[in-house]
Amino acid sequence: MTNRRDFLKKAGLTTVAAAGASTLAAPAVHAAGRPIKWRLQTYAGAALAQHVIKPSIDAFNKAANGEMEIELYYADQLVPTGELFRAMQRGTIDAVQSDDDSIAAPVDVSVFGGYFPFASRYSLDVPALFNHWGLKEIWEEAYGEVEGVKWLSAGAWDPCHFATKDPIRSLADLKGKRVFTFPTAGKFLTRFGVVPVTLPWEDIEVAMQTGELDGIAWSGITEDYTVGWADVTNYFLTNNISGAWAGSYFANEERWNELPDHLKTLFNLCMDSSHYYRQHWYWAGEAKLRTQGEKLELTSIPDEEWATVEAEALKFWDEIAAKSERNARVVKILKEYNAAMAKAGRPYRYG
């Protein structure tokens, strides 16, 4: 909160709501000999950010050799996560790491950010879809229509599982459960009686302790242990509604365009480094903590019952596809990709 208060004073945020101006941020490019300064806020709290972004930002600041410095802020530290897009658009902050869904990005494809139900089975599906199956070009097209923001890169995070106080062993056990999750995932899960709850990220642990929440569907088991949620839940459901969270990096378009090409290249390399780190950190953690973790008991919903959830997801896909021509293109790619993976067989798909 101290950081946020200091930031608000310096940026003059309180005057913006009334004035509607975009005069908050100091120019990112300073006088000759002084470094370019950026403020980047991630969706992740401090403990999680040590893995999902901080190593790459530390590397960037070191490699920039005094030409540029990125100040990293954690979830809701300067701006509430749901307001990140607008804050970046008006130049209050310079860059964001999050999913499109959580930051309320004003593009039709934002619904596919975060956990779009069953869009992926493994984390490698996300970079494959963006870099080789056409999603990158669609995201560039969508964000190219929005003034002031540059979409930079997408990558994969962990799968989406339930961590709960009470055991989940059937779909009936989900009914009435108050669950912290992402907007689109929550909308889908209401079909099975789940009650989605939106809270600041840092409040989740306390909300589980006070009974405000019954569970969390925001991550895999690696994050449950890393951020402390495994200490306030008892069970981990092995069924998941997505194989990987899809998140992106964004920047204020003016700030990005001001960068010299070599610093743009360096930032691109550091984003790739971040994407790669998460691939092996999550992949190793998910298996290790399921088999060696001692805090959470594993439960499962039978495959034949869970198949009804997967079937419902395809209906959900078609509903999203009907909302725009561009969404329809994304859903078409997802269907074609998953059909190709199933046809390819092992190791891409196991039935």
Side-chain angles (χ1 to χ4, degrees):
M1 286 305 298
T2 299
N3 282 334
R4 185 186 287 185
R5 290 189 190 102
D6 290 345
F7 172 77
L8 294 179
K9 290 176 184 176
K10 293 174 183 177
L13 260 180
T14 53
T15 63
V16 171
S22 58
T23 58
L24 295 179
V29 179
H30 296 274
R34 299 181 63 184
I36 298 168
K37 295 274 191 177
W38 268 21
R39 294 177 293 242
L40 187 157
Q41 185 171 309
T42 177
Y43 75 98
L48 181 59
Q50 303 307 308
H51 293 280
V52 301
I53 189 170
K54 191 174 186 297
S56 64
I57 297 302
D58 288 346
F60 178 92
N61 287 337
K62 184 176 181 179
N65 198 31
E67 292 186 55
M68 181 171 174
E69 180 183 353
I70 298 175
E71 298 173 351
L72 178 62
Y73 295 91
Y74 305 131
D76 304 309
Q77 197 169 6
L78 299 180
V79 182
T81 296
E83 299 174 17
L84 276 175
F85 192 93
R86 298 302 185 188
M88 174 175 49
Q89 191 175 40
R90 63 181 176 245
T92 307
I93 54 176
D94 303 298
V96 166
Q97 181 206 42
S98 182
D99 67 286
D100 324 57
D101 200 23
S102 296
I103 63 174
V107 293
D108 45 8
V109 297
S110 66
V111 70
F112 299 104
Y115 290 122
F116 190 67
F118 298 99
S120 61
R121 184 169 295 193
Y122 306 120
S123 57
L124 276 174
D125 290 337
V126 174
L129 282 160
F130 272 88
N131 294 301
H132 302 283
W133 283 75
L135 293 195
K136 177 177 179 287
E137 291 75 16
I138 292 177
W139 259 245
E140 289 173 339
E141 173 192 299
Y143 284 96
E145 298 172 1
V146 179
E147 185 178 354
V149 169
K150 173 75 173 176
W151 175 83
L152 297 174
S153 179
W157 274 251
D158 51 341
C160 183
H161 293 261
F162 285 86
T164 55
K165 284 188 176 180
D166 299 322
I168 305 295
R169 295 190 173 95
S170 71
L171 288 180
D173 292 336
L174 291 175
K175 292 181 179 178
K177 292 292 188 293
R178 294 160 298 175
V179 175
F180 173 64
T181 189
F182 291 87
T184 297
K187 184 178 180 180
F188 174 69
L189 289 171
T190 59
R191 299 179 180 216
F192 307 97
V194 170
V195 180
V197 178
T198 301
L199 290 169
W201 192 91
E202 293 288 358
D203 293 348
I204 302 311
E205 188 171 346
V206 173
M208 286 298 307
Q209 292 172 312
T210 61
E212 186 177 354
L213 287 174
D214 301 305
I216 303 163
W218 204 83
S219 70
I221 200 168
T222 306
E223 286 190 17
D224 291 335
Y225 274 78
T226 300
V227 306
W229 293 341
D231 298 321
V232 294
T233 55
N234 302 313
Y235 299 93
F236 179 85
L237 182 64
T238 61
N239 311 76
N240 61 58
I241 66 164
S242 182
W245 188 75
S248 292
Y249 283 81
F250 309 82
N252 175 275
E253 189 170 25
E254 185 177 352
R255 298 288 83 81
W256 178 257
N257 290 339
E258 288 171 348
L259 292 184
D261 287 343
H262 70 286
L263 289 178
K264 290 179 181 177
T265 299
L266 179 60
F267 193 75
N268 283 327
L269 289 170
C270 286
M271 286 189 294
D272 286 343
S273 172
S274 173
H275 295 329
Y276 173 66
Y277 180 97
R278 293 191 312 274
Q279 287 280 347
H280 60 75
W281 181 64
Y282 279 121
W283 189 255
E286 296 301 303
K288 182 177 181 180
L289 290 170
R290 284 197 194 195
T291 56
Q292 299 178 30
E294 299 179 349
K295 295 181 179 180
L296 296 174
E297 180 181 337
L298 305 186
T299 64
S300 297
I301 294 174
D303 289 345
E304 60 273 17
E305 191 174 2
W306 194 248
T308 63
V309 181
E310 296 184 357
E312 191 66 28
L314 293 178
K315 298 178 185 177
F316 185 74
W317 287 16
D318 289 338
E319 292 170 13
I320 297 299
K323 293 183 179 297
S324 76
E325 181 274 336
R326 187 155 49 214
N327 282 0
R329 279 189 276 148
V330 174
V331 169
K332 182 174 184 290
I333 288 173
L334 293 178
K335 289 181 176 180
E336 291 175 348
Y337 176 81
N338 279 281
M341 296 298 104
K343 187 175 181 180
R346 300 172 189 268
Y348 300 97
R349 294 290 185 268
Y350 290 78

